[in-house]
Amino acid sequence: LLEITTVPLMELLEQTLELVGTHINGNPYGLGSKRRPVHFLISHGSLQIEKPLTLNLTDLTAWFEESPEGKVEGIVWHCINGVLIKLHRHHLGLQWPVPDPYLTARPLSINVDLTKYECNLETKSSFLVFARLNGKQFDYFKDIPWEDTEN
């Protein structure tokens, strides 16, 4: 289960993150809308690979093309010596974006409780949208009622 939540930026230090959303790279995930744009930071490793991959061209290509988990832009390996290696689909000559990427085909919950924070947010803030949906679960990102969360 994926979770949309707020965390202090200090908790994100020493992590690698991916910025996704309405105005990022053509929005391959279909997040938000023109009227209600939405953006997220996603920690690499949030989507776990269930079966470890063998590191050969044939198996990697087959995983990206045939596995539901393989409907991602790429994979980041965190090596023991601290080196990070990212393999994009396009490194293998594969298409991106793909229909129904793995990220948006997962169930998710929204855990955004703004009572923990002292802040004055603009009325169109995504934080307020998510706060109104606090505690709700959805089968897919596309099921989030972006437009129905107006004041």
Side-chain angles (χ1 to χ4, degrees):
L1 183 69
L2 294 175
E3 179 185 36
I4 295 174
T5 190
T6 54
V7 296
L9 289 176
M10 291 295 293
E11 290 184 21
L12 300 177
L13 293 175
E14 304 300 321
Q15 292 186 42
T16 60
L17 307 161
E18 191 85 22
L19 177 63
V20 299
T22 309
H23 299 300
I24 308 299
N25 294 330
N27 194 16
Y29 302 102
L31 299 175
S33 66
K34 187 174 185 177
R35 191 165 158 230
R36 180 65 77 189
V38 176
H39 300 89
F40 299 102
L41 284 173
I42 299 175
S43 298
H44 286 136
S46 295
L47 299 175
Q48 298 292 315
I49 297 172
E50 297 298 321
K51 289 178 17 184
L53 301 173
T54 53
L55 299 180
N56 68 59
L57 180 61
T58 302
D59 289 347
L60 287 170
T61 302
W63 180 80
F64 275 116
E65 290 182 318
E66 299 166 12
S67 170
E69 292 177 328
K71 290 181 146 192
V72 293
E73 182 181 6
I75 304 173
V76 176
W77 281 274
H78 295 251
C79 302
I80 293 171
N81 64 0
V83 171
L84 301 177
I85 299 170
K86 186 167 187 178
L87 175 68
H88 284 263
R89 294 176 70 88
H90 73 266
H91 293 143
L92 302 172
L94 301 175
Q95 174 189 349
W96 180 258
V98 296
D100 301 317
Y102 188 55
L103 174 70
T104 57
R106 313 252 319 145
L108 69 144
S109 67
I110 298 178
N111 180 18
V112 178
D113 180 2
L114 296 180
T115 61
K116 303 187 275 187
Y117 305 97
E118 289 184 36
C119 54
N120 278 329
L121 298 170
E122 294 181 19
T123 57
K124 291 189 174 193
S125 169
S126 293
F127 289 107
L128 291 176
V129 171
F130 291 121
R132 287 185 203 105
L133 296 170
N134 187 38
K136 302 234 188 281
Q137 291 192 4
F138 299 92
D139 291 332
Y140 307 100
F141 267 95
K142 67 182 178 190
D143 293 340
I144 298 173
W146 305 113
E147 303 303 328
D148 296 340
T149 56
E150 300 296 324
N151 290 345

